Each structure stands twice: as C-alpha cells, then as structure tokens.
Amino acid sequence: MHPPLRLAPYREQRPRWPAAGRHIMAQFDDEVVVVYQAYRPEIGHDAALHGRFGAAWSRSRMSWIKPNFLWMMYRCGWARKEGQEVVLALWLRRAGFDEILASAVPSSHDDRLHKTHAEWQAAVTQSDVRLQWDPDHGPGGAPEQRRAIQLGLRGEALQRFADEWLLGIEDITPLVRAQQQHTLSPYDELMMPEEHVYRPADQRIAQRLALAP
C-alpha cells in the first residue's frame, strides 16, 4: 500500500519554492517518492486498474518519469495531448529513486561530469538512466528560472522500476482535468500535489547532479 496523494493550494506552496537553480521538486516521505507519467488510455487505465504495467507497456523502450507535477502538466498539456490523455501518479521506493539518480547520465555532454565528449558517450552507453534538466513551468505554461528534472529509464533500470521499486499507481486524470480550469492567474482555486525540495540521502549524488543548495 502507498500513502494518499497530498494536495495543497498552489498559491500557498509557491512562496516556499526556490525561484532558480537545479532542484528536484517532489512529494515524498521517508519511504516513498511520487513521480508522474502520462500514457494513452489503453496503457494508463490498465496500469491503474492492476497496480502494475501490463503487456501493452513496452519494456524495450526508454520510459521517462517526472517527480515535478507542474512539469508533467506542461509536457502533457494537462492530459490534453494525444497519447498522454491518462496521467498516472506512481509511488516508488525512495531507495530506488536514489539509485536512479545515482545512475543518471545527462542527455547532453556536461564537462562538469565528463571531461571529454568521448568519455560522456561511453557513460551514456553504460548507463540505463538518462537525465535532463529543463526550465520548470508555471500552471499556465510560462517558463520559470528554476530547472526541473526528468529521468529516462531503460534496460535493467526500467525492469527494476516496474518490478521492484514501484509500490502503487493511481490514475489522477480526473484531478488534472478538474484543476486545469484554475490555471489562469491568480490561481486562487488551483490545488495540486504538495511538493518540497528533494535531496538524496547520499550527498555525493547531490553533488554529482549539481543540485542547488
């Protein structure tokens, strides 16, 4: 079993969020971290019904997870984009999420991590986790100075995600579509998952990801 998704007003949360820098924004506790994905209905509905991914879900393709709700909303158009009509909240073991972070290699060359392009390419080949930092976005889609993380899983990391680290799945599409009507400023009525800055337990992972203090 997993804890319920905690909701809070957007306007109450925004003042305590960092305005800029690389931050992992997520809902979490000592045991679990919530991430989000969006799928076409035949995959999303089946996964939510059974609490695991079924035969229509591909284990051979890279699958991206996002711990930041508003970043997911920007990417899926609040569940309106084709092929992303069903938004899932997924509860992962926190230790598994930290393993994902520890294995992540940036999708583009970052000389802070890899001195040469060839060294980075070798790391990409060896890792089953991709990392991207993109501008976070507000409820209406405007970009923020803060950076949001998304993580692409393949191979062994994807298998462990589905079979070992995944504790629960919930279809939150009704919440998403109900809240879309409140995405125009001043956002007085907008409710969303409660999120805080997430720090991995191992400080070396935070340093490797160049997380803002």
Side-chain angles (χ1 to χ4, degrees), residues 102-203:
S103 302
V105 173
S107 293
S108 57
H109 179 222
D110 184 341
D111 58 14
R112 289 175 297 184
L113 293 176
H114 305 100
K115 295 180 180 178
T116 67
H117 195 270
E119 183 181 314
W120 164 72
Q121 284 187 316
V124 167
T125 301
Q126 295 167 7
S127 175
D128 285 335
V129 182
R130 294 287 174 279
L131 161 69
Q132 287 186 192
W133 288 105
D134 300 278
D136 202 350
H137 285 73
E144 304 273 2
Q145 293 186 24
R146 182 179 59 249
R147 309 295 281 187
I149 197 172
Q150 60 177 335
L151 298 151
L153 313 180
R154 68 174 185 180
E156 182 181 353
L158 186 60
Q159 307 303 320
R160 296 185 71 191
F161 161 76
D163 300 331
E164 179 182 344
W165 297 328
L166 182 59
L167 298 176
I169 303 176
E170 182 179 333
D171 179 358
I172 61 168
T173 312
L175 168 69
V176 169
R177 294 194 169 167
Q179 294 304 312
Q180 186 186 24
Q181 64 183 309
H182 305 308
T183 55
L184 296 177
S185 183
Y187 315 117
D188 289 335
E189 304 299 322
L190 179 60
M191 297 289 291
M192 58 166 283
E194 180 184 338
E195 294 183 349
H196 298 268
V197 175
Y198 179 86
R199 303 288 296 187
D202 188 337
Q203 181 59 26

Side-chain angles (χ1 to χ4, degrees), residues 17 42 57 86:
W17 291 344
E42 56 266 36
W57 184 74
V86 177

Side-chain angles (χ1 to χ4, degrees), residues 45-57:
H45 288 157
D46 181 74
L49 178 64
H50 295 98
R52 56 183 173 79
F53 289 106
W57 184 74

Side-chain angles (χ1 to χ4, degrees), residues 74-104:
Y74 172 72
R75 292 307 300 260
C76 73
W78 291 84
R80 300 295 180 182
K81 290 185 179 179
E82 184 178 358
Q84 300 186 62
E85 300 93 344
V86 177
V87 179
L88 302 178
L90 305 102
W91 280 257
L92 302 185
R93 298 182 191 276
R94 182 165 177 168
F97 185 68
D98 277 4
E99 282 198 49
I100 291 170
L101 294 176
S103 302

